[in-house]
Amino acid sequence: MDAFSYTDIFDTKGIEYLVVIAFLLVIIPVWFLLSKPVKEKVLLERFVSGLSSRFLKIMPGLLYSRNHTWAHLHETGEARIGVSDLLLHLTGGVSIEYLKKDGDHIHAGDEIAALSKDGKMLKIVSPVSGDILQVNRKIEHAHGIINTDPYGKGWMLKVRPGEWKKETSGFYLDKEAVSWSENELERCKDFLAEAVSGEPGQPVLLSGGELVDFPLSDMPEDIWKQFQKKFLE
């Protein structure tokens, strides 16, 4: 009859197994928390910070149009065009698709790009006329750039303007741009509050009356279309 052998779990190998198991029991929950989708973190921040005019960026020297675009004329005669920080705070993270290419001639009011999120889209119109010298293709492939740095690396087009003085005469600069931005934020608040009135599960205002950050983010396509007509055309 074979001898019966007994293995003590607390021998060297057994202790090693217990250490490994304990390590896994600790590290797995931590890993799970750290690897939650970024979207959950963003959603939490939306309902904590809110969207207030004091968080919006208005860059000195840039001219802002009522269509939520900006333009800046360089001393070389080239102008850069982009979208406002306010618009990006309303939409949340978006990707960009260009509707024009290098060498195209555009008129003020022409659609030059589309900002899209989850199948919803906003068309961006050019604030000025001119010949397109360069389309910033980098922001097509690295979407985060336009969302985090709309006045720097997130510019959209370089153009050679044709009617700069005439077309930018009604734009907003510096303090006027700050006032315009604050007024637009109030208009957006009124628009969104009315658009979702009676719609369950669509909170847009915090307890203090401020908009949540990225209020358009989870809105249906119909509201994006209404926003397009009211604020971007």
Side-chain angles (χ1 to χ4, degrees), residues 2-233:
D2 295 333
F4 177 82
S5 63
Y6 173 77
T7 302
D8 189 350
I9 191 173
F10 293 103
D11 283 346
T12 302
K13 286 294 183 182
I15 293 175
E16 290 179 358
Y17 294 150
L18 288 177
V19 170
V20 171
I21 292 171
F23 175 77
L24 291 175
L25 289 175
V26 172
I27 199 64
I28 289 175
V30 173
W31 174 85
F32 177 76
L33 289 173
L34 293 178
S35 63
K36 281 188 175 183
V38 174
K39 184 177 180 181
E40 293 185 14
K41 179 182 177 182
V42 171
L43 287 174
L44 177 61
E45 291 175 348
R46 287 173 59 194
F47 293 97
V48 172
S49 61
L51 177 52
S52 168
S53 59
R54 65 182 179 275
F55 297 126
L56 299 177
K57 299 174 185 175
I58 295 294
M59 297 297 291
L62 299 187
L63 291 166
Y64 292 82
S65 79
R66 64 180 183 82
N67 305 113
H68 289 265
T69 55
W70 59 266
H72 180 257
L73 185 64
H74 194 266
E75 59 186 10
T76 61
E78 299 177 359
R80 284 191 178 186
I81 295 171
V83 293
S84 73
D85 183 56
L86 172 55
L87 180 59
L88 296 171
H89 267 286
L90 291 168
T91 60
V94 292
S95 59
I96 183 170
E97 176 187 353
Y98 286 109
L99 306 177
K100 301 292 182 181
K101 62 184 184 300
D102 293 2
D104 283 352
H105 181 80
I106 54 175
H107 296 91
D110 283 353
E111 295 178 348
I112 55 175
L115 302 182
S116 61
K117 182 178 179 65
D118 301 330
K120 298 166 291 191
M121 185 178 296
L122 293 176
K123 297 289 183 65
I124 304 302
V125 299
S126 177
V128 296
S129 303
D131 297 318
I132 298 178
L133 302 175
Q134 184 182 354
V135 169
N136 188 4
R137 296 292 177 186
K138 290 182 179 179
I139 61 176
E140 278 188 308
H141 308 295
H143 302 153
I145 297 177
I146 191 173
N147 294 288
T148 59
D149 191 19
Y151 303 133
K153 296 179 181 179
W155 58 272
M156 296 195 305
L157 302 179
K158 283 183 183 179
V159 303
R160 179 75 66 183
E163 299 287 341
W164 177 264
K165 186 175 181 179
K166 176 183 177 182
E167 292 175 342
T168 62
S169 61
F171 288 8
Y172 306 101
L173 177 68
D174 298 338
K175 290 183 179 180
E176 288 184 346
V178 172
S179 297
W180 167 78
S181 181
E182 292 173 347
N183 291 335
E184 281 296 277
L185 187 55
E186 289 301 313
R187 288 183 64 220
C188 291
K189 184 188 300 185
D190 293 340
F191 164 76
L192 291 170
E194 182 179 351
V196 301
S197 60
E199 292 289 336
Q202 292 288 357
V204 294
L205 297 178
L206 297 175
S207 57
E210 292 182 344
L211 277 172
V212 298
D213 211 2
F214 317 144
L216 280 172
S217 179
D218 300 319
M219 298 287 178
E221 184 178 7
D222 180 59
I223 293 181
W224 280 57
K225 290 180 178 179
Q226 293 177 42
F227 181 88
Q228 172 84 44
K229 292 180 179 180
K230 193 173 183 67
F231 293 92
L232 302 183
E233 294 181 356

